[in-house]
Amino acid sequence: MGALIRQFYPSIIASGLQSFCRKMITPEPLMTKIESSDIHNKRPLTQSASNARNKKPKLKKYKTKKVDPTSPRGVLEFEIDELLGKIGLDREQIRNDVSAILNDVPKVNGPIAKAYHRIVNNVKILQSTSNGDGMALIDNPVEIEKKQLALIPFGLVGDVVNINVYKTHPYHVETDLLDVIEESPSRKDELITCKYFGKCSGCQFQFLSYNEQLELKRNTITNAYKYFAPRLVAEKVVQKVGLTFGSPLELGYRTKLTPHFDVPRRRTLESKPPLGFGQKGKQKWRKETLDCGGHSSILDIEECPIGTAVVNMGMRNERQKFEINYKNYKRGATILLRENTTLLDNSCSILEQLKDDSSKDMDGNISFLEVEDIRTGAKLAKTCVTNTRQVVREYVDGYTFRFSAGEFFQNNNAILPLVTKYVRDNLQIPNSEPGAPNYLVDAYCGSGLFSICSSKGVGKVIGVEISADSVSFAETNAKNNGVENCHFIVGKAEKLFESIDMPCDRTSVILDPPRKGCDELFLKQLAEYYPARIVYISCNVHSQARDVEYFIKETERGSRYKIESLRGFDFFPQTHHVESVCVMSRV
C-alpha cells in the first residue's frame, strides 16, 4: 500500500505518509461506545462532541489599542497620572480587571459586569481634562481596596454629582452625568443658549463665563508642554503661557457645519432618521433637554448656535429637503454646510452676483445675507454651499480667498484678522538694519492664507505645499489679490526646502501643519535650513509641544533657538478646542 502511494501520490508524502496509511488501513470508528446513561432515546455521542462538551470555554482577552500620545485618548493617560500624583495613588490602585468583565466572571451577587456598571451618588469632581470632561475617584465595586477613576462629561471642578458608570477601561471608566447635587462656583447654567447642550457632543463650556473658558484653554497649553516638552519646562526654556486671545464672536462664528445621519443596514426607512450631530452618551442632568433631539446616537438638531446665521439658514433648507427625500438614501451620509462670501459690486444687483448652486429654500430662492466688513466697510453677501467640490470664497483681512468647499480652511473668520496680524508682527527679524530685506517661507501653505496676509513688508514669500491642488488655489488667490511677491511650489516631503534659495539669516518660516504635527524628517530639514525666526501655528497644542521639544533638543541646530512667546487663540468658543502659536528665534 505504501509503495503504491509513493509511486502515484508523491505529494501525500510531504503531508504525512504514515498517518495517511494508518487511516486507510485501519479507519477509526465513526462512533464511540454508547454509555448506559445515553440509551434512553438519545443520540450516541461522537468522540468530538464528547470532547467539546468537556472542553473549557476560551477566555476573551482585552487588547490594548495603540493610540497616538498626542490624541485625546493619549493625553488622558498623562492627565490620569497627574491626578494620581496629587492624591498619592499609583496605577495599580485604580486598575480595573477588564478581562473578568469581558468574560462575565461570576461573583457573590451576580456577574461582575453588572457590578461595575452602576449608579454612583455624591461624587466630587477633582480635575478637568483637556477634552472638557471632569475627573473623579469612586470606589471599586468588586475589589474594595481599590478606587476607580471616572470621566464625567459636563462636570466642573467642585461639582458634586450623581453618575451612571456604563463602560470600563483598564485605568478609567466612562460615565453619564445624571444630576448635579452641589454646583461648582464656576457653573453658570443661565449662560446656556442651546436647547441641546448637555446632550450634544459639539460644545462643552456653554455654562462657563467666557473669561473662564479662556483661562481653561491657557491651562491646556501649559499642561501640553508639561506633558510633551518636559525637558524644556524643567530647563525653563518655556516661559509662562500668555493670555488666550478671545474670539470677537462667542456665538454664531462657525462657518462650516457637517450634520450627518445613519441608515440601518438591510432596512427600508419608514420614518425620517435623525439628522444632526453625535450624542454625548446618555446624559440626564439637564431635565429640560431630555426629549430634545431624540434618544439615538445622533441627535436631530434643527439649529446650532455656534454656526453662523447663513449656515443655519442652509441647515433649515437642507432639513426641509431631507424630510421629502430621506427614503432615497440607501446608506448614511454627511451634509456639508459651508459659508461662502461674495464681495459685492454696487453696479449689479445682489442676485445677479450669487452662484445658482447655493442652498435654496423650498420656493427655489437662494438664501443669503448682506453684511458689511467691520474693518474695511466692504459690502459682502453670505450664502451657504453644500457641494464639496464647489469653489467658495472667504474675505479675510482685506483679501479674498478661493478654495474647494470640502477642503480645509479656518472655520472662524471673525478671529482670523487677529491671528494674521499676530503672525505678521512676529515674523519681523529683530535687530535688523534699516532697509534690510526680509523673506518668508510658508510651509504647509494650503491655499495661501498666511502667505498672502503676511506678504506686505516682505521682499519675497515662498509657499510650500505637497498638495498640487492647494498650490493651484494659492497661485490664483495671490493673482486675484494683486500680490506679486508670493510664489508657490509643490514640495516633496523628503526635500521640502530644496527649492528655497533665500538667505536663511533674513528669512522667517511659518508652520501650520495638520493635527498630527510635523514629522522628524521635516524638523531636521527645518533645523538644517536654519531660519532666523519660526512661527508655529497649531490646532493641536500637544503635537506642537512634542515637535518644539524635538526640534530644540534633538536636531543639530535646534539648541540655538529660544521660545519667545507662546499663546492661544480661541477659534472655537464654547468648546474645549484651542489654537496655539509658538514663536521661536535664533539666539
Side-chain angles (χ1 to χ4, degrees):
M1 182 71 174
L4 288 173
I5 292 173
R6 290 189 190 94
Q7 181 178 355
F8 295 105
Y9 300 96
S11 62
I12 296 177
I13 297 173
S15 61
L17 177 61
Q18 293 179 349
S19 175
F20 181 84
C21 291
R22 282 197 300 271
K23 291 181 179 180
M24 292 292 291
I25 298 170
T26 57
E28 295 177 359
L30 295 176
M31 300 181 185
T32 60
K33 182 179 178 181
I34 300 175
E35 301 291 340
S36 59
S37 60
D38 293 328
I39 62 174
H40 299 293
N41 299 319
K42 291 186 178 181
R43 292 182 180 179
L45 292 174
T46 64
Q47 186 68 47
S48 58
S50 178
N51 291 340
R53 185 179 65 179
N54 297 324
K55 189 176 180 181
K56 292 182 179 180
K58 188 176 181 180
L59 295 178
K60 300 175 184 177
K61 292 184 179 180
Y62 180 81
K63 295 181 180 179
T64 303
K65 296 180 180 178
K66 283 189 175 182
V67 297
D68 182 344
T70 65
S71 69
R73 188 68 177 269
V75 174
L76 176 62
E77 297 303 313
F78 290 93
E79 293 167 334
I80 289 173
D81 286 335
E82 181 176 9
L83 179 57
L84 293 177
K86 289 178 181 178
I87 58 181
L89 295 179
D90 59 37
R91 285 251 173 181
E92 187 58 30
Q93 290 172 291
I94 65 161
R95 188 175 67 84
N96 298 306
D97 189 356
V98 182
S99 294
I101 300 173
L102 285 174
N103 294 288
D104 217 16
V105 176
K107 70 177 199 67
V108 177
N109 296 321
I112 274 188
K114 190 173 181 180
Y116 273 107
H117 302 157
R118 67 209 189 274
I119 291 176
V120 185
N121 295 324
N122 298 313
V123 177
K124 186 164 186 177
I125 297 176
L126 306 175
Q127 183 174 302
S128 294
T129 71
S130 60
N131 224 28
D133 295 333
M135 301 174 74
L137 280 182
I138 57 177
D139 292 331
N140 189 303
V142 176
E143 301 174 87
I144 58 175
E145 72 281 3
K146 288 185 175 182
K147 297 288 186 180
Q148 288 184 308
L149 192 145
L151 294 185
I152 305 171
F154 306 105
L156 293 173
V157 175
D159 279 341
V160 177
V161 298
N162 297 337
I163 59 175
N164 176 52
V165 181
Y166 69 87
K167 192 171 185 179
T168 305
H169 301 270
Y171 295 103
H172 73 277
V173 296
E174 295 182 49
T175 74
D176 292 321
L177 178 57
L178 303 181
D179 298 288
V180 179
I181 306 304
E182 296 180 22
E183 293 187 353
S184 162
S186 299
R187 181 179 287 275
K188 295 179 176 60
D189 287 351
E190 65 273 13
L191 297 177
I192 298 172
T193 60
C194 178
K195 64 181 180 181
Y196 308 104
F197 181 76
K199 291 179 70 175
C200 178
S201 58
C203 294
Q204 297 78 39
F205 294 153
Q206 285 194 24
F207 46 31
L208 288 175
S209 70
Y210 194 47
N211 285 336
E212 290 199 67
Q213 292 186 37
L214 297 178
E215 185 60 23
L216 277 178
K217 296 181 183 190
R218 184 162 77 117
N219 291 339
T220 294
I221 298 174
T222 299
N223 289 336
Y225 277 79
K226 182 167 60 177
Y227 301 150
F228 292 96
R231 288 178 291 174
L232 300 185
V233 172
E235 296 170 12
K236 298 184 177 179
V237 176
V238 179
Q239 302 299 324
K240 185 177 180 181
V241 177
L243 296 176
T244 308
F245 279 93
S247 171
L249 295 177
E250 298 171 25
L251 295 167
Y253 62 82
R254 191 175 176 105
T255 56
K256 178 186 175 184
L257 291 174
T258 51
H260 49 277
F261 64 92
D262 285 337
V263 173
R265 289 185 178 182
R266 301 175 184 175
R267 189 184 302 175
T268 303
L269 286 174
E270 299 297 335
S271 60
K272 183 181 73 68
L275 172 63
F277 309 109
Q279 182 167 191
K280 182 75 170 176
K282 296 182 179 179
Q283 318 303 323
K284 295 183 180 179
W285 64 283
R286 288 195 72 204
K287 309 307 178 188
E288 63 271 34
T289 70
L290 290 181
D291 294 325
C292 292
H295 302 283
S296 69
S297 60
I298 296 177
L299 292 174
D300 196 46
I301 291 183
E302 299 171 347
E303 185 176 16
C304 178
I306 66 173
T308 64
V310 76
V311 164
N312 274 299
M313 290 170 67
M315 180 179 282
R316 287 193 292 275
N317 291 344
E318 300 312 308
R319 284 181 61 86
Q320 288 173 344
K321 295 175 187 175
F322 189 63
E323 291 272 359
I324 301 171
N325 301 326
Y326 70 86
K327 289 186 177 180
N328 297 335
Y329 289 92
K330 303 300 181 184
R331 61 183 64 183
T334 296
I335 296 176
L336 172 70
L337 302 170
R338 163 76 83 174
E339 183 173 288
N340 181 36
T341 305
T342 301
L343 181 60
L344 294 175
D345 181 351
N346 292 330
S347 64
C348 303
S349 71
I350 295 178
L351 289 176
E352 288 179 317
Q353 301 177 64
L354 300 182
K355 287 199 170 184
D356 192 51
D357 49 3
S358 298
S359 180
K360 301 181 181 68
D361 61 24
M362 297 304 290
D363 295 325
N365 300 314
I366 295 177
S367 298
F368 73 93
L369 290 173
E370 184 180 359
V371 299
E372 181 178 298
D373 185 88
I374 58 174
R375 289 174 173 268
T376 64
K379 299 291 185 181
L380 308 173
K382 301 283 187 178
T383 55
C384 183
V385 166
T386 59
N387 182 352
T388 59
R389 296 185 178 182
Q390 182 176 325
V391 176
V392 298
R393 291 151 294 191
E394 284 297 352
Y395 192 62
V396 181
D397 216 9
Y399 299 102
T400 303
F401 293 89
R402 293 164 56 88
F403 54 94
S404 291
E407 297 298 320
F408 172 78
F409 196 84
Q410 299 289 0
N411 295 331
N412 181 350
N413 288 349
I415 200 173
L416 276 180
L418 299 178
V419 180
T420 54
K421 181 181 186 304
Y422 185 81
V423 170
R424 190 165 54 244
D425 291 345
N426 280 283
L427 291 171
Q428 302 304 312
I429 299 173
N431 304 317
S432 296
E433 296 181 3
N438 290 335
Y439 305 97
L440 174 62
V441 173
D442 182 7
Y444 308 96
C445 69
S447 54
L449 172 66
F450 288 108
S451 297
I452 293 170
C453 290
S454 303
S455 60
K456 291 180 179 179
V458 177
K460 183 179 181 181
V461 180
I462 293 183
V464 186
E465 177 61 64
I466 61 174
S467 166
D469 288 342
S470 294
V471 167
S472 178
F473 275 113
E475 290 173 338
T476 300
N477 289 331
K479 182 178 179 180
N480 290 343
N481 286 287
V483 177
E484 298 179 352
N485 62 339
C486 285
H487 303 275
F488 299 94
I489 57 177
V490 180
K492 298 178 181 179
E494 66 275 11
K495 294 181 179 180
L496 205 58
F497 291 90
E498 184 180 48
S499 303
I500 308 298
D501 57 357
M502 298 179 297
C504 63
D505 289 350
R506 303 302 310 163
T507 302
S508 299
V509 172
I510 297 174
L511 308 180
D512 187 15
R515 289 194 65 81
K516 66 179 181 179
C518 307
D519 59 26
E520 294 179 1
L521 175 61
F522 172 84
L523 294 171
K524 288 177 180 178
Q525 292 179 69
L526 178 63
E528 185 178 348
Y529 179 65
Y530 200 40
R533 207 160 173 84
I534 300 169
V535 178
Y536 188 156
I537 307 152
S538 178
C539 58
N540 182 356
V541 64
H542 302 99
S543 59
Q544 182 195 65
R546 176 204 63 198
D547 292 348
V548 170
E549 176 161 288
Y550 182 88
F551 176 77
I552 292 178
K553 286 295 185 181
E554 303 297 335
T555 64
E556 186 175 350
R557 292 176 171 176
S559 60
R560 304 178 193 178
Y561 286 81
K562 67 177 180 179
I563 297 176
E564 283 196 359
S565 67
L566 180 60
R567 298 190 71 170
F569 285 81
D570 190 18
F571 272 70
F572 300 104
Q574 319 306 331
T575 80
H576 64 81
H577 298 288
V578 62
E579 199 106 352
S580 58
V581 180
C582 179
V583 179
M584 294 182 284
S585 63
R586 276 169 30 181
V587 178

